[in-house]
Amino acid sequence: MLSIRAASPADVDIVTEIEAKCFPPAERASRERFVERLNAFSDCFLILMKDDRPVGLVDGMVTDNRTICDEMFADAKMHNPDGHWQSIFGLAVIPEEQHQGYASALMRAFIEKARQEGRDGVILTCKKHLIDFYSGFGFVNCGISKSVHGGAVWYDMELDFRAASAMKNIFSTA
């Protein structure tokens, strides 16, 4: 049975383990970094459970920035609970549970959470091979990111709820 639950600071070992299984060493957050993040914004973490076993997560701080900058990964104090944009730092499903729709379930839940909280939208960075995946949720590719996190090339992606709402209004009145 699958369920998605909010995280708490007590989940630090769970999120650290999932992240370690899913990201290369240069890109993954350390346990210490997760302690800081969970203490600052545990309400911005969701954990996917399968039969009471954690198998995935999605997390990121809230900000007024429309793109993710590398400083955000290092400084949990940049979280602004009243910010306009929900960022996604990581979306991860442990390898043995991938390709079953779990990442999509986490994305839908996180997007809906941000929408219910009244955010303007969701931002993330991704590698080129994941652009189509995120586009399927309505994200727009904004080009190569200034982020050089982990030494990789990243693309800024944005899901602007206001633009999506405007498009719905245009098509519903046509």
Side-chain angles (χ1 to χ4, degrees):
M1 180 169 137
L2 291 179
S3 62
I4 296 175
R5 67 170 178 83
S8 76
D11 292 315
V12 67
D13 291 327
I14 289 171
V15 298
T16 302
E17 182 179 340
I18 292 170
E19 178 106 345
K21 289 180 177 183
C22 298
F23 290 97
E27 296 172 17
R28 72 177 67 132
S30 66
R31 185 181 193 284
E32 294 73 28
R33 190 70 64 223
F34 275 127
V35 166
E36 293 168 2
R37 291 178 186 175
L38 285 163
N39 284 331
F41 52 89
S42 63
D43 59 325
C44 296
F45 280 73
L46 294 178
I47 297 174
L48 178 73
M49 305 293 291
K50 180 180 180 184
D51 302 325
D52 298 320
R53 185 174 61 96
V55 298
L57 72 90
V58 61
D59 72 285
M61 70 172 51
V62 176
T63 180
D64 280 326
N65 295 351
R66 285 187 77 152
T67 58
I68 293 173
C69 63
D70 288 340
E71 294 78 19
M72 291 176 174
F73 296 112
D75 188 358
K77 292 182 202 122
M78 291 181 74
H79 171 67
N80 174 5
D82 298 319
H84 292 275
W85 297 92
Q86 173 64 62
S87 71
I88 295 179
F89 287 169
L91 171 65
V93 174
I94 59 174
E96 60 269 24
E97 298 292 347
Q98 292 177 1
H99 308 291
Q100 298 183 57
Y102 299 162
S104 294
L106 280 164
M107 281 299 297
R108 284 190 296 275
F110 210 59
I111 290 167
E112 185 55 29
K113 178 182 177 305
R115 194 181 309 271
Q116 288 180 3
E117 291 172 350
R119 308 286 177 217
D120 289 347
V122 180
I123 58 171
L124 59 88
T125 58
C126 71
K127 293 181 178 169
K128 188 174 187 172
H129 71 276
L130 291 170
I131 291 172
D132 287 343
F133 172 76
Y134 291 113
S135 294
F137 295 96
F139 283 84
V140 173
N141 178 1
C142 300
I144 294 177
S145 178
K146 292 180 184 175
S147 174
V148 293
H149 178 71
V153 174
W154 301 96
Y155 289 80
D156 288 322
M157 303 289 290
E158 178 182 280
L159 174 59
D160 187 332
F161 297 150
R162 300 160 307 165
S165 177
M167 290 304 290
K168 282 183 188 174
N169 290 339
I170 289 169
F171 289 110
S172 66
T173 59

